[in-house]
Amino acid sequence: MNFSHIQFSIDEGIGLVTIHRPEKLNALNAAVMQDLRTVFEHAGSNSEVKGLILTGSGEKAFVAGADIRELAEIDPPRAEILSSQGQATFRLLETMRKPSVAAINGFALGGGMELAMACTARIASTNAKMGQPEVKLGIVPGYGATQRLPRLVGRGKAIELLISGEMIDAAEAHRIGLVNHVVEGSNLLAFAKDWLKKVLANGPLAVALTIQAVETGYDVGLEAGLRFEAMAFGFSAATEDRREGTRAFLEKRPAVFTGR
Ligand code: COA
């Protein structure tokens, strides 16, 4: 596949997406967003890809936000479309039914932090800086932060971050639960791969359904969420993976899952 602003490779079932616009700190312009949409569609339907890691090119930034030069020119009807389309692209990633990890190798601001929040997990390097600075530009976040940030860190902290526009460092992001782990930059990709490999060694259908149950539960409330969980549990009990997983335990050997 040919991309102008991302690099994509697959190794041992892990798709590595590197946002590659380092001279602009990997800011999300229209071309990057188009490439992201294409790669998420491709990864979602390609059985070779079992999970995704997203990172930024260079040592300074994951993604420093939406492209401010484009935002400076945009008219209101086009802005609403841009937001809806960007939300849909990030939703593709979030609902791909394959786990994804943001390997945050520096600034993750605005759309960059929103992209990281659409991933299943976030691992930050010690030099990472995260924030939603949109209000400092006189705009509202448009790629999901007002919805995903409170779900991740709670309403009080989310509103503070969203209306102050201030950046936080990796340690604070970890303390509030915005990132799952913080590691040295030199170890970031290796750590993200090991983390994802551990998840991918589990029953793939069980992992996908568990993520879906958590996400669905947030949207529909406890009663309906519990119903969804019970149905997902029933579905998982009908899979070959359930037979293999339980048998492997009883036979004291590692399970080999097929995702069926
Ligand atoms: N959109 C467009 N260009 C951006 C950008 C963005 N979001 N973030 C950085 N860039 C560009 C800069 O304009 C600069 O380009 P230039 O060399 O042609 O002037 C280049 O990337 C390097 O950035 P620079 O500001 O010189 O680096 P820095 O180390 O001094 O500062 C940041 C780093 C991240 C603090 C700073 O770039 C910044 O505040 N960026 C905007 C963050 C933001 O508000 N994002 C939300 C957008 S909704």
Side-chain angles (χ1 to χ4, degrees), residues 21-28 60-61 63-71 107 109-112 114 131-137 139-141 167:
R21 205 185 164 215
E23 72 287 358
K24 298 291 180 193
L25 305 186
N26 306 319
L28 303 172
K60 204 167 161 184
V63 168
D67 190 294
I68 298 172
R69 196 168 290 278
E70 285 185 358
L71 293 180
F107 291 110
L109 303 174
E114 290 171 305
Q132 296 291 156
E134 286 88 342
V135 289
K136 290 182 184 288
L137 301 167
I139 52 175
V140 170
M167 287 186 221

PDB file of all heavy atoms in Angstrom, residues 21-28 60-61 63-71 107 109-112 114 131-137 139-141 167, ligand 1:
ATOM      1  N   ARG A  21       5.294  12.891   9.453  1.00  0.00           N
ATOM      2  CA  ARG A  21       5.337  14.275   8.977  1.00  0.00           C
ATOM      3  C   ARG A  21       6.191  15.044   9.991  1.00  0.00           C
ATOM      4  O   ARG A  21       5.736  16.019  10.605  1.00  0.00           O
ATOM      5  CB  ARG A  21       3.898  14.814   8.957  1.00  0.00           C
ATOM      6  CG  ARG A  21       3.699  15.933   7.977  1.00  0.00           C
ATOM      7  CD  ARG A  21       2.306  16.516   8.077  1.00  0.00           C
ATOM      8  NE  ARG A  21       2.248  17.784   7.422  1.00  0.00           N
ATOM      9  CZ  ARG A  21       1.507  18.808   7.840  1.00  0.00           C
ATOM     10  NH1 ARG A  21       0.728  18.692   8.910  1.00  0.00           N
ATOM     11  NH2 ARG A  21       1.533  19.954   7.193  1.00  0.00           N
ATOM     12  N   PRO A  22       7.403  14.562  10.203  1.00  0.00           N
ATOM     13  CA  PRO A  22       8.188  15.031  11.355  1.00  0.00           C
ATOM     14  C   PRO A  22       8.482  16.523  11.342  1.00  0.00           C
ATOM     15  O   PRO A  22       8.583  17.137  12.405  1.00  0.00           O
ATOM     16  CB  PRO A  22       9.492  14.210  11.274  1.00  0.00           C
ATOM     17  CG  PRO A  22       9.541  13.649   9.901  1.00  0.00           C
ATOM     18  CD  PRO A  22       8.139  13.559   9.409  1.00  0.00           C
ATOM     19  N   GLU A  23       8.566  17.122  10.139  1.00  0.00           N
ATOM     20  CA  GLU A  23       8.900  18.556  10.090  1.00  0.00           C
ATOM     21  C   GLU A  23       7.772  19.410  10.668  1.00  0.00           C
ATOM     22  O   GLU A  23       7.984  20.557  11.041  1.00  0.00           O
ATOM     23  CB  GLU A  23       9.260  18.976   8.647  1.00  0.00           C
ATOM     24  CG  GLU A  23       8.117  19.048   7.642  1.00  0.00           C
ATOM     25  CD  GLU A  23       7.555  17.691   7.181  1.00  0.00           C
ATOM     26  OE1 GLU A  23       8.072  16.639   7.608  1.00  0.00           O
ATOM     27  OE2 GLU A  23       6.591  17.700   6.411  1.00  0.00           O
ATOM     28  N   LYS A  24       6.572  18.839  10.760  1.00  0.00           N
ATOM     29  CA  LYS A  24       5.442  19.551  11.382  1.00  0.00           C
ATOM     30  C   LYS A  24       4.973  18.790  12.630  1.00  0.00           C
ATOM     31  O   LYS A  24       3.785  18.819  12.986  1.00  0.00           O
ATOM     32  CB  LYS A  24       4.273  19.700  10.397  1.00  0.00           C
ATOM     33  CG  LYS A  24       4.595  20.523   9.162  1.00  0.00           C
ATOM     34  CD  LYS A  24       4.801  21.996   9.498  1.00  0.00           C
ATOM     35  CE  LYS A  24       5.123  22.807   8.242  1.00  0.00           C
ATOM     36  NZ  LYS A  24       5.626  24.153   8.564  1.00  0.00           N
ATOM     37  N   LEU A  25       5.888  18.106  13.257  1.00  0.00           N
ATOM     38  CA  LEU A  25       5.592  17.321  14.480  1.00  0.00           C
ATOM     39  C   LEU A  25       4.398  16.385  14.279  1.00  0.00           C
ATOM     40  O   LEU A  25       3.577  16.195  15.171  1.00  0.00           O
ATOM     41  CB  LEU A  25       5.387  18.239  15.689  1.00  0.00           C
ATOM     42  CG  LEU A  25       6.539  19.221  15.988  1.00  0.00           C
ATOM     43  CD1 LEU A  25       6.291  19.980  17.290  1.00  0.00           C
ATOM     44  CD2 LEU A  25       7.873  18.509  16.047  1.00  0.00           C
ATOM     45  N   ASN A  26       4.309  15.843  13.060  1.00  0.00           N
ATOM     46  CA  ASN A  26       3.296  14.837  12.707  1.00  0.00           C
ATOM     47  C   ASN A  26       1.858  15.356  12.844  1.00  0.00           C
ATOM     48  O   ASN A  26       0.926  14.579  13.106  1.00  0.00           O
ATOM     49  CB  ASN A  26       3.499  13.553  13.528  1.00  0.00           C
ATOM     50  CG  ASN A  26       4.911  13.012  13.393  1.00  0.00           C
ATOM     51  OD1 ASN A  26       5.472  13.022  12.311  1.00  0.00           O
ATOM     52  ND2 ASN A  26       5.503  12.584  14.504  1.00  0.00           N
ATOM     53  N   ALA A  27       1.686  16.672  12.672  1.00  0.00           N
ATOM     54  CA  ALA A  27       0.340  17.262  12.763  1.00  0.00           C
ATOM     55  C   ALA A  27      -0.591  16.628  11.725  1.00  0.00           C
ATOM     56  O   ALA A  27      -0.176  16.282  10.612  1.00  0.00           O
ATOM     57  CB  ALA A  27       0.425  18.773  12.549  1.00  0.00           C
ATOM     58  N   LEU A  28      -1.848  16.505  12.119  1.00  0.00           N
ATOM     59  CA  LEU A  28      -2.840  15.791  11.301  1.00  0.00           C
ATOM     60  C   LEU A  28      -3.455  16.730  10.270  1.00  0.00           C
ATOM     61  O   LEU A  28      -4.454  17.402  10.554  1.00  0.00           O
ATOM     62  CB  LEU A  28      -3.946  15.222  12.200  1.00  0.00           C
ATOM     63  CG  LEU A  28      -3.510  14.271  13.325  1.00  0.00           C
ATOM     64  CD1 LEU A  28      -4.692  13.948  14.240  1.00  0.00           C
ATOM     65  CD2 LEU A  28      -2.916  12.992  12.730  1.00  0.00           C
ATOM     66  N   LYS A  60      10.495  13.650  18.764  1.00  0.00           N
ATOM     67  CA  LYS A  60       9.902  14.766  19.488  1.00  0.00           C
ATOM     68  C   LYS A  60       8.398  14.647  19.711  1.00  0.00           C
ATOM     69  O   LYS A  60       7.879  15.124  20.714  1.00  0.00           O
ATOM     70  CB  LYS A  60      10.194  16.038  18.685  1.00  0.00           C
ATOM     71  CG  LYS A  60      10.182  17.285  19.500  1.00  0.00           C
ATOM     72  CD  LYS A  60      10.782  18.428  18.711  1.00  0.00           C
ATOM     73  CE  LYS A  60      10.370  19.746  19.303  1.00  0.00           C
ATOM     74  NZ  LYS A  60      10.845  20.891  18.517  1.00  0.00           N
ATOM     75  N   ALA A  61       7.713  14.028  18.722  1.00  0.00           N
ATOM     76  CA  ALA A  61       6.251  14.073  18.794  1.00  0.00           C
ATOM     77  C   ALA A  61       5.601  12.760  18.371  1.00  0.00           C
ATOM     78  O   ALA A  61       6.072  12.089  17.449  1.00  0.00           O
ATOM     79  CB  ALA A  61       5.720  15.198  17.897  1.00  0.00           C
ATOM     80  N   VAL A  63       1.921  13.060  17.897  1.00  0.00           N
ATOM     81  CA  VAL A  63       1.196  13.928  16.973  1.00  0.00           C
ATOM     82  C   VAL A  63       0.911  15.235  17.722  1.00  0.00           C
ATOM     83  O   VAL A  63       0.311  15.210  18.803  1.00  0.00           O
ATOM     84  CB  VAL A  63      -0.149  13.298  16.538  1.00  0.00           C
ATOM     85  CG1 VAL A  63      -1.027  14.315  15.811  1.00  0.00           C
ATOM     86  CG2 VAL A  63       0.073  12.075  15.646  1.00  0.00           C
ATOM     87  N   ALA A  64       1.339  16.375  17.163  1.00  0.00           N
ATOM     88  CA  ALA A  64       1.158  17.670  17.841  1.00  0.00           C
ATOM     89  C   ALA A  64      -0.197  18.304  17.552  1.00  0.00           C
ATOM     90  O   ALA A  64      -0.369  19.508  17.723  1.00  0.00           O
ATOM     91  CB  ALA A  64       2.282  18.621  17.470  1.00  0.00           C
ATOM     92  N   GLY A  65      -1.170  17.503  17.105  1.00  0.00           N
ATOM     93  CA  GLY A  65      -2.528  18.024  16.949  1.00  0.00           C
ATOM     94  C   GLY A  65      -2.980  18.076  15.508  1.00  0.00           C
ATOM     95  O   GLY A  65      -2.257  17.679  14.588  1.00  0.00           O
ATOM     96  N   ALA A  66      -4.199  18.589  15.348  1.00  0.00           N
ATOM     97  CA  ALA A  66      -4.685  18.864  13.991  1.00  0.00           C
ATOM     98  C   ALA A  66      -3.815  19.969  13.408  1.00  0.00           C
ATOM     99  O   ALA A  66      -3.178  20.724  14.146  1.00  0.00           O
ATOM    100  CB  ALA A  66      -6.138  19.300  14.041  1.00  0.00           C
ATOM    101  N   ASP A  67      -3.787  20.062  12.083  1.00  0.00           N
ATOM    102  CA  ASP A  67      -2.917  21.036  11.432  1.00  0.00           C
ATOM    103  C   ASP A  67      -3.509  22.439  11.596  1.00  0.00           C
ATOM    104  O   ASP A  67      -4.568  22.745  11.041  1.00  0.00           O
ATOM    105  CB  ASP A  67      -2.762  20.684   9.948  1.00  0.00           C
ATOM    106  CG  ASP A  67      -1.687  21.530   9.314  1.00  0.00           C
ATOM    107  OD1 ASP A  67      -1.879  22.760   9.212  1.00  0.00           O
ATOM    108  OD2 ASP A  67      -0.643  20.960   8.939  1.00  0.00           O
ATOM    109  N   ILE A  68      -2.799  23.285  12.349  1.00  0.00           N
ATOM    110  CA  ILE A  68      -3.339  24.605  12.686  1.00  0.00           C
ATOM    111  C   ILE A  68      -3.404  25.508  11.443  1.00  0.00           C
ATOM    112  O   ILE A  68      -4.285  26.355  11.322  1.00  0.00           O
ATOM    113  CB  ILE A  68      -2.506  25.253  13.819  1.00  0.00           C
ATOM    114  CG1 ILE A  68      -2.614  24.376  15.084  1.00  0.00           C
ATOM    115  CG2 ILE A  68      -2.991  26.670  14.112  1.00  0.00           C
ATOM    116  CD1 ILE A  68      -1.704  24.788  16.224  1.00  0.00           C
ATOM    117  N   ARG A  69      -2.517  25.273  10.487  1.00  0.00           N
ATOM    118  CA  ARG A  69      -2.575  26.059   9.243  1.00  0.00           C
ATOM    119  C   ARG A  69      -3.900  25.782   8.513  1.00  0.00           C
ATOM    120  O   ARG A  69      -4.535  26.705   7.989  1.00  0.00           O
ATOM    121  CB  ARG A  69      -1.376  25.709   8.344  1.00  0.00           C
ATOM    122  CG  ARG A  69      -1.119  26.694   7.232  1.00  0.00           C
ATOM    123  CD  ARG A  69       0.231  26.459   6.582  1.00  0.00           C
ATOM    124  NE  ARG A  69       1.337  26.807   7.465  1.00  0.00           N
ATOM    125  CZ  ARG A  69       1.793  28.043   7.635  1.00  0.00           C
ATOM    126  NH1 ARG A  69       1.227  29.044   6.982  1.00  0.00           N
ATOM    127  NH2 ARG A  69       2.807  28.287   8.450  1.00  0.00           N
ATOM    128  N   GLU A  70      -4.318  24.526   8.493  1.00  0.00           N
ATOM    129  CA  GLU A  70      -5.615  24.196   7.861  1.00  0.00           C
ATOM    130  C   GLU A  70      -6.773  24.774   8.682  1.00  0.00           C
ATOM    131  O   GLU A  70      -7.749  25.282   8.128  1.00  0.00           O
ATOM    132  CB  GLU A  70      -5.768  22.676   7.733  1.00  0.00           C
ATOM    133  CG  GLU A  70      -4.932  22.072   6.617  1.00  0.00           C
ATOM    134  CD  GLU A  70      -5.166  20.573   6.407  1.00  0.00           C
ATOM    135  OE1 GLU A  70      -5.951  19.956   7.154  1.00  0.00           O
ATOM    136  OE2 GLU A  70      -4.552  20.021   5.488  1.00  0.00           O
ATOM    137  N   LEU A  71      -6.638  24.714  10.021  1.00  0.00           N
ATOM    138  CA  LEU A  71      -7.730  25.213  10.873  1.00  0.00           C
ATOM    139  C   LEU A  71      -7.908  26.726  10.726  1.00  0.00           C
ATOM    140  O   LEU A  71      -9.012  27.251  10.870  1.00  0.00           O
ATOM    141  CB  LEU A  71      -7.455  24.875  12.346  1.00  0.00           C
ATOM    142  CG  LEU A  71      -7.469  23.391  12.727  1.00  0.00           C
ATOM    143  CD1 LEU A  71      -7.171  23.214  14.202  1.00  0.00           C
ATOM    144  CD2 LEU A  71      -8.815  22.748  12.374  1.00  0.00           C
ATOM    145  N   PHE A 107       5.190  14.738  22.124  1.00  0.00           N
ATOM    146  CA  PHE A 107       3.947  15.507  22.233  1.00  0.00           C
ATOM    147  C   PHE A 107       2.752  14.724  21.679  1.00  0.00           C
ATOM    148  O   PHE A 107       2.800  14.201  20.564  1.00  0.00           O
ATOM    149  CB  PHE A 107       4.053  16.812  21.430  1.00  0.00           C
ATOM    150  CG  PHE A 107       5.007  17.817  22.018  1.00  0.00           C
ATOM    151  CD1 PHE A 107       6.213  18.107  21.386  1.00  0.00           C
ATOM    152  CD2 PHE A 107       4.692  18.481  23.194  1.00  0.00           C
ATOM    153  CE1 PHE A 107       7.103  19.035  21.918  1.00  0.00           C
ATOM    154  CE2 PHE A 107       5.582  19.418  23.739  1.00  0.00           C
ATOM    155  CZ  PHE A 107       6.782  19.686  23.099  1.00  0.00           C
ATOM    156  N   LEU A 109      -0.841  16.092  21.454  1.00  0.00           N
ATOM    157  CA  LEU A 109      -1.659  17.267  21.750  1.00  0.00           C
ATOM    158  C   LEU A 109      -2.890  17.285  20.848  1.00  0.00           C
ATOM    159  O   LEU A 109      -2.831  16.825  19.708  1.00  0.00           O
ATOM    160  CB  LEU A 109      -0.843  18.538  21.518  1.00  0.00           C
ATOM    161  CG  LEU A 109       0.464  18.627  22.312  1.00  0.00           C
ATOM    162  CD1 LEU A 109       1.271  19.844  21.895  1.00  0.00           C
ATOM    163  CD2 LEU A 109       0.183  18.666  23.818  1.00  0.00           C
ATOM    164  N   GLY A 110      -3.979  17.843  21.347  1.00  0.00           N
ATOM    165  CA  GLY A 110      -5.176  17.985  20.533  1.00  0.00           C
ATOM    166  C   GLY A 110      -5.560  16.672  19.865  1.00  0.00           C
ATOM    167  O   GLY A 110      -5.750  15.648  20.535  1.00  0.00           O
ATOM    168  N   GLY A 111      -5.627  16.685  18.526  1.00  0.00           N
ATOM    169  CA  GLY A 111      -5.983  15.476  17.773  1.00  0.00           C
ATOM    170  C   GLY A 111      -5.049  14.310  18.041  1.00  0.00           C
ATOM    171  O   GLY A 111      -5.435  13.150  17.875  1.00  0.00           O
ATOM    172  N   GLY A 112      -3.824  14.598  18.465  1.00  0.00           N
ATOM    173  CA  GLY A 112      -2.871  13.523  18.788  1.00  0.00           C
ATOM    174  C   GLY A 112      -3.275  12.791  20.051  1.00  0.00           C
ATOM    175  O   GLY A 112      -3.246  11.550  20.109  1.00  0.00           O
ATOM    176  N   GLU A 114      -6.303  12.798  21.127  1.00  0.00           N
ATOM    177  CA  GLU A 114      -7.589  12.165  20.777  1.00  0.00           C
ATOM    178  C   GLU A 114      -7.365  10.841  20.035  1.00  0.00           C
ATOM    179  O   GLU A 114      -8.078   9.864  20.262  1.00  0.00           O
ATOM    180  CB  GLU A 114      -8.434  13.136  19.946  1.00  0.00           C
ATOM    181  CG  GLU A 114      -8.935  14.311  20.776  1.00  0.00           C
ATOM    182  CD  GLU A 114      -9.579  15.406  19.964  1.00  0.00           C
ATOM    183  OE1 GLU A 114      -8.929  15.920  19.024  1.00  0.00           O
ATOM    184  OE2 GLU A 114     -10.735  15.772  20.249  1.00  0.00           O
ATOM    185  N   GLY A 131      -2.025  16.869  26.129  1.00  0.00           N
ATOM    186  CA  GLY A 131      -2.947  17.940  26.463  1.00  0.00           C
ATOM    187  C   GLY A 131      -3.927  18.200  25.333  1.00  0.00           C
ATOM    188  O   GLY A 131      -3.772  17.699  24.221  1.00  0.00           O
ATOM    189  N   GLN A 132      -4.956  18.960  25.682  1.00  0.00           N
ATOM    190  CA  GLN A 132      -5.976  19.384  24.702  1.00  0.00           C
ATOM    191  C   GLN A 132      -5.946  20.913  24.660  1.00  0.00           C
ATOM    192  O   GLN A 132      -6.760  21.573  25.316  1.00  0.00           O
ATOM    193  CB  GLN A 132      -7.358  18.865  25.149  1.00  0.00           C
ATOM    194  CG  GLN A 132      -7.485  17.366  25.185  1.00  0.00           C
ATOM    195  CD  GLN A 132      -7.467  16.641  23.860  1.00  0.00           C
ATOM    196  OE1 GLN A 132      -7.138  15.482  23.776  1.00  0.00           O
ATOM    197  NE2 GLN A 132      -7.805  17.341  22.781  1.00  0.00           N
ATOM    198  N   PRO A 133      -5.015  21.477  23.858  1.00  0.00           N
ATOM    199  CA  PRO A 133      -4.849  22.938  23.867  1.00  0.00           C
ATOM    200  C   PRO A 133      -5.828  23.710  22.979  1.00  0.00           C
ATOM    201  O   PRO A 133      -5.662  24.910  22.779  1.00  0.00           O
ATOM    202  CB  PRO A 133      -3.408  23.110  23.360  1.00  0.00           C
ATOM    203  CG  PRO A 133      -3.124  21.906  22.548  1.00  0.00           C
ATOM    204  CD  PRO A 133      -4.021  20.802  23.019  1.00  0.00           C
ATOM    205  N   GLU A 134      -6.860  23.034  22.477  1.00  0.00           N
ATOM    206  CA  GLU A 134      -7.752  23.686  21.495  1.00  0.00           C
ATOM    207  C   GLU A 134      -8.299  25.024  21.995  1.00  0.00           C
ATOM    208  O   GLU A 134      -8.385  25.991  21.237  1.00  0.00           O
ATOM    209  CB  GLU A 134      -8.931  22.761  21.135  1.00  0.00           C
ATOM    210  CG  GLU A 134      -8.557  21.592  20.237  1.00  0.00           C
ATOM    211  CD  GLU A 134      -8.099  20.349  20.990  1.00  0.00           C
ATOM    212  OE1 GLU A 134      -7.747  20.474  22.181  1.00  0.00           O
ATOM    213  OE2 GLU A 134      -8.091  19.263  20.378  1.00  0.00           O
ATOM    214  N   VAL A 135      -8.699  25.078  23.288  1.00  0.00           N
ATOM    215  CA  VAL A 135      -9.308  26.339  23.774  1.00  0.00           C
ATOM    216  C   VAL A 135      -8.337  27.507  23.669  1.00  0.00           C
ATOM    217  O   VAL A 135      -8.755  28.666  23.572  1.00  0.00           O
ATOM    218  CB  VAL A 135      -9.845  26.206  25.222  1.00  0.00           C
ATOM    219  CG1 VAL A 135     -11.097  25.328  25.257  1.00  0.00           C
ATOM    220  CG2 VAL A 135      -8.778  25.672  26.179  1.00  0.00           C
ATOM    221  N   LYS A 136      -7.044  27.203  23.688  1.00  0.00           N
ATOM    222  CA  LYS A 136      -6.059  28.288  23.533  1.00  0.00           C
ATOM    223  C   LYS A 136      -6.087  28.850  22.116  1.00  0.00           C
ATOM    224  O   LYS A 136      -5.575  29.930  21.855  1.00  0.00           O
ATOM    225  CB  LYS A 136      -4.648  27.774  23.860  1.00  0.00           C
ATOM    226  CG  LYS A 136      -4.431  27.466  25.346  1.00  0.00           C
ATOM    227  CD  LYS A 136      -2.996  27.020  25.591  1.00  0.00           C
ATOM    228  CE  LYS A 136      -2.761  26.599  27.033  1.00  0.00           C
ATOM    229  NZ  LYS A 136      -2.750  27.714  27.989  1.00  0.00           N
ATOM    230  N   LEU A 137      -6.662  28.067  21.183  1.00  0.00           N
ATOM    231  CA  LEU A 137      -6.800  28.519  19.790  1.00  0.00           C
ATOM    232  C   LEU A 137      -8.230  29.015  19.525  1.00  0.00           C
ATOM    233  O   LEU A 137      -8.591  29.314  18.389  1.00  0.00           O
ATOM    234  CB  LEU A 137      -6.497  27.361  18.828  1.00  0.00           C
ATOM    235  CG  LEU A 137      -5.113  26.726  18.926  1.00  0.00           C
ATOM    236  CD1 LEU A 137      -5.071  25.417  18.150  1.00  0.00           C
ATOM    237  CD2 LEU A 137      -4.049  27.678  18.401  1.00  0.00           C
ATOM    238  N   ILE A 139     -10.982  27.223  19.858  1.00  0.00           N
ATOM    239  CA  ILE A 139     -11.854  26.183  19.298  1.00  0.00           C
ATOM    240  C   ILE A 139     -12.100  25.075  20.326  1.00  0.00           C
ATOM    241  O   ILE A 139     -11.419  24.995  21.350  1.00  0.00           O
ATOM    242  CB  ILE A 139     -11.278  25.555  17.988  1.00  0.00           C
ATOM    243  CG1 ILE A 139      -9.841  25.083  18.205  1.00  0.00           C
ATOM    244  CG2 ILE A 139     -11.413  26.508  16.832  1.00  0.00           C
ATOM    245  CD1 ILE A 139      -9.250  24.356  17.017  1.00  0.00           C
ATOM    246  N   VAL A 140     -13.075  24.230  19.994  1.00  0.00           N
ATOM    247  CA  VAL A 140     -13.454  23.088  20.829  1.00  0.00           C
ATOM    248  C   VAL A 140     -12.759  21.856  20.239  1.00  0.00           C
ATOM    249  O   VAL A 140     -12.614  21.780  19.014  1.00  0.00           O
ATOM    250  CB  VAL A 140     -15.000  22.924  20.758  1.00  0.00           C
ATOM    251  CG1 VAL A 140     -15.471  21.626  21.379  1.00  0.00           C
ATOM    252  CG2 VAL A 140     -15.680  24.120  21.413  1.00  0.00           C
ATOM    253  N   PRO A 141     -12.334  20.896  21.062  1.00  0.00           N
ATOM    254  CA  PRO A 141     -11.789  19.664  20.474  1.00  0.00           C
ATOM    255  C   PRO A 141     -12.819  19.022  19.540  1.00  0.00           C
ATOM    256  O   PRO A 141     -14.006  19.012  19.854  1.00  0.00           O
ATOM    257  CB  PRO A 141     -11.532  18.760  21.683  1.00  0.00           C
ATOM    258  CG  PRO A 141     -11.445  19.684  22.840  1.00  0.00           C
ATOM    259  CD  PRO A 141     -12.356  20.841  22.528  1.00  0.00           C
ATOM    260  N   MET A 167      -0.740  21.375  29.256  1.00  0.00           N
ATOM    261  CA  MET A 167      -0.135  20.055  29.013  1.00  0.00           C
ATOM    262  C   MET A 167       0.213  19.404  30.342  1.00  0.00           C
ATOM    263  O   MET A 167       0.522  20.083  31.313  1.00  0.00           O
ATOM    264  CB  MET A 167       1.190  20.221  28.262  1.00  0.00           C
ATOM    265  CG  MET A 167       1.066  20.600  26.845  1.00  0.00           C
ATOM    266  SD  MET A 167       2.752  20.546  26.150  1.00  0.00           S
ATOM    267  CE  MET A 167       2.733  21.996  25.139  1.00  0.00           C
TER     268      MET A 167
HETATM  269  N1  COA B   1      -0.209  22.222  13.179  1.00  0.00           N
HETATM  270  C1  COA B   1       0.607  22.690  12.223  1.00  0.00           C
HETATM  271  N2  COA B   1       1.926  22.835  12.394  1.00  0.00           N
HETATM  272  C2  COA B   1       2.438  22.483  13.582  1.00  0.00           C
HETATM  273  C3  COA B   1       1.640  21.994  14.633  1.00  0.00           C
HETATM  274  C4  COA B   1       0.256  21.860  14.383  1.00  0.00           C
HETATM  275  N3  COA B   1      -0.570  21.384  15.302  1.00  0.00           N
HETATM  276  N4  COA B   1       2.432  21.739  15.699  1.00  0.00           N
HETATM  277  C5  COA B   1       3.683  22.057  15.323  1.00  0.00           C
HETATM  278  N5  COA B   1       3.679  22.497  14.048  1.00  0.00           N
HETATM  279  C6  COA B   1       4.840  22.953  13.246  1.00  0.00           C
HETATM  280  C7  COA B   1       5.341  24.310  13.690  1.00  0.00           C
HETATM  281  O1  COA B   1       4.564  25.338  13.098  1.00  0.00           O
HETATM  282  C8  COA B   1       6.759  24.258  13.172  1.00  0.00           C
HETATM  283  O2  COA B   1       6.736  24.480  11.779  1.00  0.00           O
HETATM  284  P1  COA B   1       7.797  25.497  11.085  1.00  0.00           P
HETATM  285  O3  COA B   1       9.148  24.887  11.370  1.00  0.00           O
HETATM  286  O4  COA B   1       7.437  25.497   9.634  1.00  0.00           O
HETATM  287  O5  COA B   1       7.625  26.815  11.766  1.00  0.00           O
HETATM  288  C9  COA B   1       7.158  22.821  13.393  1.00  0.00           C
HETATM  289  O6  COA B   1       5.934  22.091  13.480  1.00  0.00           O
HETATM  290  C10 COA B   1       7.937  22.597  14.671  1.00  0.00           C
HETATM  291  O7  COA B   1       7.177  23.091  15.746  1.00  0.00           O
HETATM  292  P2  COA B   1       7.740  24.203  16.784  1.00  0.00           P
HETATM  293  O8  COA B   1       6.583  24.960  17.334  1.00  0.00           O
HETATM  294  O9  COA B   1       8.840  25.009  16.157  1.00  0.00           O
HETATM  295  O10 COA B   1       8.385  23.248  17.908  1.00  0.00           O
HETATM  296  P3  COA B   1       8.583  23.585  19.460  1.00  0.00           P
HETATM  297  O11 COA B   1       9.429  22.503  20.009  1.00  0.00           O
HETATM  298  O12 COA B   1       9.045  24.987  19.632  1.00  0.00           O
HETATM  299  O13 COA B   1       7.113  23.488  20.115  1.00  0.00           O
HETATM  300  C11 COA B   1       4.945  22.491  20.480  1.00  0.00           C
HETATM  301  C12 COA B   1       6.444  22.268  20.146  1.00  0.00           C
HETATM  302  C13 COA B   1       4.239  21.161  20.319  1.00  0.00           C
HETATM  303  C14 COA B   1       4.819  23.009  21.926  1.00  0.00           C
HETATM  304  C15 COA B   1       4.362  23.538  19.498  1.00  0.00           C
HETATM  305  O14 COA B   1       4.699  23.166  18.171  1.00  0.00           O
HETATM  306  C16 COA B   1       2.876  23.684  19.578  1.00  0.00           C
HETATM  307  O15 COA B   1       2.368  24.290  20.516  1.00  0.00           O
HETATM  308  N6  COA B   1       2.131  23.122  18.579  1.00  0.00           N
HETATM  309  C17 COA B   1       0.706  23.252  18.490  1.00  0.00           C
HETATM  310  C18 COA B   1       0.012  22.339  19.469  1.00  0.00           C
HETATM  311  C19 COA B   1      -1.498  22.513  19.407  1.00  0.00           C
HETATM  312  O16 COA B   1      -2.044  23.535  19.740  1.00  0.00           O
HETATM  313  N7  COA B   1      -2.165  21.455  18.953  1.00  0.00           N
HETATM  314  C20 COA B   1      -3.599  21.410  18.888  1.00  0.00           C
HETATM  315  C21 COA B   1      -4.090  21.780  17.551  1.00  0.00           C
HETATM  316  S1  COA B   1      -5.874  21.736  17.512  1.00  0.00           S
END
